[in-house]
Amino acid sequence: MAVPAQLHSIIFSFILLLLSLFDTSLSQPQTPSPAPAPPPPSDSCNGIFLSYNYTGGHAIPPTDPTNQAYRFESTLTVLNNGRHELKSWRAFVGFQHQELLVSASNAVLADGSSFPAEVGNGTVLAGFPISDLKSAVETAGDRAQMEVRVGLVGTQFGVGAPDVPMPLNISLVNDGYSCLNATNEGNNVMHVCCIQDDLNSDSNNGVNDEFLARQEGDLVIMYDVIRAYSDNYWAQVSISIHNPLGRLDKWQLSFDWMREEFIYAMRGAYPYVVDTTDCIFGRQGQHYKEMDFSQVLNCERRPTIVDLPPTRANDSILGRIPFCCRNGTILPPLMDPSKSISSFNMQVYKMPPDLNRTELVPPQNWKIKGTMNPEYECGSPIRVTPSQFPDPSGLPSATASIASWQVVCNITQSKQAVPRCCVSYSAFFNDSAIPCNTCACGCNNNPSQTCSATEPALLLRPDALLIPFENRTAEALSWADIKRRSVPNPLPCGDNCGVSINWHLLSDHKDGWTARITLFNWGDSSFEDWFAAVQLDKAVPGFEEVYTFNGSKLLGSNNTLFMQGRPGLNYLLAETDGAKPKKDPRVPGTQQSVISFKKKSTPGIEVAAGDGFPKKVLFNGEECALPTRLPSKAPMVSGRSSVFGFLTLALLLLMQ
């Protein structure tokens, strides 16, 4: 059938239109496709990638134009892009805005502090309950096992919008890793890559692929699970001193249960407070409906544990645990290795969903302290190889624990800590003694106090050191009058120290010199097995003998003397009443000895000019406050009064 001419014309026109449109499209410039997004910074890190992301915050009450408080929220991410598993990860966040950290998900503070905590000078976070991060190689790139995100919430001061309170830096603090400089991305993100050192490539894995290597420290706490059941387990806790000058007296140990555990029974130690309130009114009471909670020892989230007295050592219910029941005293190994460890057992009940004998979680945030001892800062528990114990049946074999964690604690000196002992100076060439500093161990905050906390302590006649401070006023004023010295008004406050130590330079001659050390106990409790350590920068190589105490150079040190009481004389007794209590002042417990030195091994030593006085003194591990000045070699007013004072002090001490 023939096609009409009009239809031919329409088809031809349509073809021409299509050709023209195609030609136009070819002539127009093509819009380029968008460039692909750059890969995330973590992709270029072949180690441990850390990032800190500030997510928000706002002002919180009260209003303070000079130092406003703000809530902040941020996320710390730790990602293992390395070849090996990262065990017990620990990350430093360099906070710098007076931050108070209120909470942290998936982490605890590595120094053992509990929330809220002041972290304005930076802090180290440790993973919990996710402490180990596997590598991509062993998980086929499963990021859930390679990464942890820590949600941080806290308070910071002075940085409001649009400014962002970012930390100074972030880094990984695990041994064997080196971190590059942190990089800022915008104003709210910081990240850094930390690479494992080739020379220490195995340091992260410890002795094998499963456990970390055991660490050294001033004090070590072992948490060993020795029996395990579905809903409870028995743990053995051991505390051991490793520092030659470390010590604990009447120790108190505390920690945080993280999964609602509670203590059912104990042997070798006891809770400071027996309290089951939290169990009876909490989830524990709902779950263990048939349990007699009158038999439970403690349900506090943060219990405090104390040692038992020696009279309980053979108790069939509470005692019969090796190294228990010493009234909380742990000595340095140098004094007695058998007394450098304390141990106890406790039965711990667990809560759902941990009702499986393999679900074992150690407590966190460990703290330990003593009466007059150094302060210890404890890290977070790390999983180590199971401990081995002698077979209880006496067979020549060892029994391994089911699981073991190690907590390492080191001696620290916080800025807020005040000493609990002090030192006074005296010398044969000056008839005045320089007593302990004013408020050396803190001052009384009583508003009615009428003494000065800033005036230097008044010089004394040496025998006045035997008199309690509250009875020294007449002696101090009389001595100032004899020496024609003015006295301030009000008079200086006392030192408020429980123990004071007098260091007296006794003689100085061509071949050698001597000093006398006297210990005073002003407290109500005696010190058994006491020790003192004296650091002399130049004199110790010439040490000859301590005459009344057991004394020696501290092993591994060339500038410290270590002294302790001899057997039978190892008590520094408490303060007692005078001979006539209604008239005489109380008398401190004292111990005294002379120490001799030779000059042959210390050429050039200037004893009277300062080399004969200690640079540091410790009593039972506690560092004592030293005077801020030395006795001068100014002419003495009366040689007779000087000799009389020193002889009186020595005779009074010998008569006690």
Side-chain angles (χ1 to χ4, degrees):
M1 183 177 62
V3 179
Q6 186 177 3
L7 184 57
H8 274 286
S9 176
I10 293 173
I11 293 173
F12 182 72
S13 299
F14 181 71
I15 292 172
L16 290 175
L17 177 62
L18 289 176
L19 290 172
S20 65
L21 290 174
F22 180 72
D23 183 65
T24 302
S25 67
L26 291 176
S27 63
Q28 290 180 348
Q30 299 294 315
T31 303
S33 59
S42 60
D43 286 0
S44 61
C45 177
N46 286 328
I48 309 302
F49 180 79
L50 285 80
S51 69
Y52 181 94
N53 182 13
Y54 173 81
T55 56
H58 54 80
I60 57 177
T63 301
D64 184 354
T66 60
N67 195 25
Q68 179 62 47
Y70 297 86
R71 173 188 174 94
F72 74 88
E73 299 176 20
S74 56
T75 301
L76 174 71
T77 302
V78 184
L79 173 64
N80 184 4
N81 278 345
R83 183 171 296 276
H84 301 290
E85 181 179 6
L86 175 65
K87 292 186 175 296
S88 295
W89 68 262
R90 289 171 293 143
F92 174 77
V93 181
F95 292 114
Q96 57 175 333
H97 302 292
Q98 305 175 59
E99 287 89 347
L100 183 74
L101 195 57
V102 176
S103 66
S105 64
N106 296 321
V108 294
L109 295 172
D111 65 0
S113 301
S114 299
F115 297 115
E118 296 181 0
V119 295
N121 292 325
T123 191
V124 176
L125 296 167
F128 180 86
I130 304 173
S131 60
D132 302 336
L133 299 178
K134 295 187 178 297
S135 67
V137 173
E138 58 188 332
T139 63
D142 183 1
R143 200 167 176 118
Q145 300 183 65
M146 300 162 51
E147 180 183 66
V148 63
R149 292 178 178 267
V150 180
L152 303 173
V153 177
T155 302
Q156 55 90 9
F157 290 86
V159 183
D163 295 327
V164 176
M166 292 294 288
L168 188 64
N169 66 313
I170 56 175
S171 62
L172 187 75
V173 297
N174 291 61
D175 292 338
Y177 284 86
S178 299
C179 297
L180 305 174
N181 293 328
T183 301
N184 292 316
E185 187 175 321
N187 67 345
N188 67 332
V189 176
M190 175 183 290
H191 53 78
V192 67
C193 182
C194 302
I195 305 298
Q196 193 171 23
D197 300 335
D198 291 337
L199 294 177
N200 298 313
S201 59
D202 293 329
S203 63
N204 185 57
N205 296 329
V207 295
N208 57 38
D209 292 336
E210 189 176 357
F211 304 109
L212 283 172
R214 299 192 179 212
Q215 301 177 6
E216 295 293 331
D218 295 325
L219 180 147
V220 172
I221 302 171
M222 290 301 304
Y223 191 81
D224 297 301
V225 176
I226 54 177
R227 296 196 297 275
Y229 311 97
S230 60
D231 59 357
N232 74 92
Y233 65 87
W234 277 90
Q236 177 167 303
V237 181
S238 303
I239 310 163
S240 56
I241 296 285
H242 294 258
N243 187 298
L245 297 179
R247 181 186 175 121
L248 283 171
D249 292 283
K250 296 183 179 179
W251 57 256
Q252 293 188 1
L253 179 68
S254 59
F255 46 76
D256 285 340
W257 295 117
M258 307 301 287
R259 304 182 72 84
E260 301 181 294
E261 300 96 331
F262 59 95
I263 302 173
Y264 186 89
M266 296 188 71
R267 298 177 71 96
Y270 214 67
Y272 186 71
V273 175
V274 176
D275 184 4
T276 59
T277 306
D278 290 346
C279 282
I280 294 173
F281 293 99
R283 283 207 324 129
Q284 296 91 336
Q286 297 172 11
H287 177 74
Y288 294 101
K289 297 181 183 296
E290 306 302 322
M291 181 176 287
D292 180 5
F293 280 95
S294 66
Q295 303 299 313
V296 174
L297 285 183
N298 188 278
C299 292
E300 296 175 301
R301 185 180 187 273
R302 185 172 183 83
T304 298
I305 310 301
V306 296
D307 196 14
L308 293 174
T311 53
R312 293 287 190 172
N314 293 318
D315 190 293
S316 60
I317 298 175
L318 296 177
R320 297 185 180 176
I321 297 293
F323 310 113
C324 86
C325 313
R326 291 173 177 161
N327 233 10
T329 295
I330 310 178
L331 302 178
L334 178 65
M335 293 185 67
D336 189 340
S338 67
K339 294 182 179 180
S340 66
I341 185 172
S342 187
S343 183
F344 63 89
N345 292 359
M346 63 180 177
Q347 186 180 17
V348 180
Y349 267 80
K350 302 183 292 182
M351 286 288 292
D354 298 333
L355 302 184
N356 184 307
R357 70 180 63 206
T358 62
E359 290 294 331
L360 303 169
V361 180
Q364 301 285 322
N365 303 330
W366 294 73
K367 288 285 187 183
I368 191 164
K369 64 179 182 179
T371 51
M372 184 171 289
N373 308 123
E375 292 189 5
Y376 292 89
E377 182 179 285
C378 300
S380 54
I382 62 170
R383 185 78 178 268
V384 295
T385 53
S387 300
Q388 294 188 350
F389 307 98
D391 192 285
S393 66
L395 293 174
S397 62
T399 301
S401 64
I402 297 169
S404 296
W405 286 267
Q406 184 191 47
V407 179
V408 177
C409 308
N410 288 306
I411 295 174
T412 183
Q413 188 72 30
S414 67
K415 294 181 179 179
Q416 293 78 22
V418 294
R420 286 168 283 189
C421 57
C422 62
V423 176
S424 62
Y425 286 158
S426 54
F428 68 89
F429 49 76
N430 196 310
D431 51 8
S432 294
I434 300 174
C436 291
N437 295 334
T438 304
C439 298
C441 300
C443 253
N444 186 2
N445 294 321
N446 190 336
S448 64
Q449 186 172 335
T450 57
C451 61
S452 171
T454 57
E455 288 289 341
L458 298 180
L459 300 182
L460 297 171
R461 196 172 62 185
D463 56 303
L465 294 174
L466 272 170
I467 303 173
F469 178 83
E470 56 269 21
N471 301 100
R472 287 182 189 173
T473 302
E475 292 285 343
L477 293 176
S478 173
W479 191 245
D481 183 60
I482 292 173
K483 307 295 286 183
R484 294 182 175 84
R485 296 190 184 99
S486 60
V487 295
N489 186 17
L491 293 174
C493 300
D495 54 68
N496 295 312
C497 297
V499 170
S500 62
I501 298 174
N502 175 248
W503 182 268
H504 175 68
L505 198 58
L506 192 60
S507 68
D508 183 16
H509 50 86
K510 178 181 178 182
D511 297 324
W513 58 283
T514 58
R516 184 179 63 226
I517 184 171
T518 309
L519 284 67
F520 302 90
N521 181 6
W522 305 99
D524 297 325
S525 300
S526 300
F527 291 96
E528 183 182 5
D529 293 319
W530 62 267
F531 78 81
V534 178
Q535 184 183 103
L536 296 153
D537 284 352
K538 298 180 180 180
V540 171
F543 166 70
E544 185 178 25
E545 188 174 357
V546 178
Y547 290 94
T548 309
F549 307 152
N550 284 338
S552 61
K553 299 177 184 178
L554 184 65
L555 187 65
S557 172
N558 62 357
N559 66 354
T560 303
L561 297 179
F562 184 90
M563 292 168 280
Q564 63 183 107
R566 291 177 177 172
L569 300 172
N570 56 341
Y571 273 87
L572 180 58
L573 297 176
E575 190 180 55
T576 58
D577 288 331
K580 299 178 180 179
K582 293 184 178 180
K583 178 182 177 182
D584 297 337
R586 287 173 63 80
V587 178
T590 57
Q591 289 274 9
Q592 185 183 83
S593 182
V594 172
I595 311 169
S596 62
F597 299 84
K598 292 291 186 182
K599 290 185 176 180
K600 184 177 180 180
S601 302
T602 55
I605 189 171
E606 298 181 0
V607 176
D611 293 341
F613 292 93
K615 299 299 184 291
K616 182 184 291 186
V617 176
L618 294 94
F619 177 79
N620 281 359
E622 171 81 6
E623 185 173 346
C624 305
L626 297 178
T628 55
R629 52 179 171 161
L630 299 175
S632 68
K633 297 189 71 172
M636 295 183 288
V637 171
S638 170
R640 179 175 297 179
S641 68
S642 170
V643 173
F644 175 78
F646 290 122
L647 287 177
T648 301
L649 175 60
L651 288 172
L652 286 172
L653 291 170
L654 289 172
M655 291 170 62
Q656 293 188 42

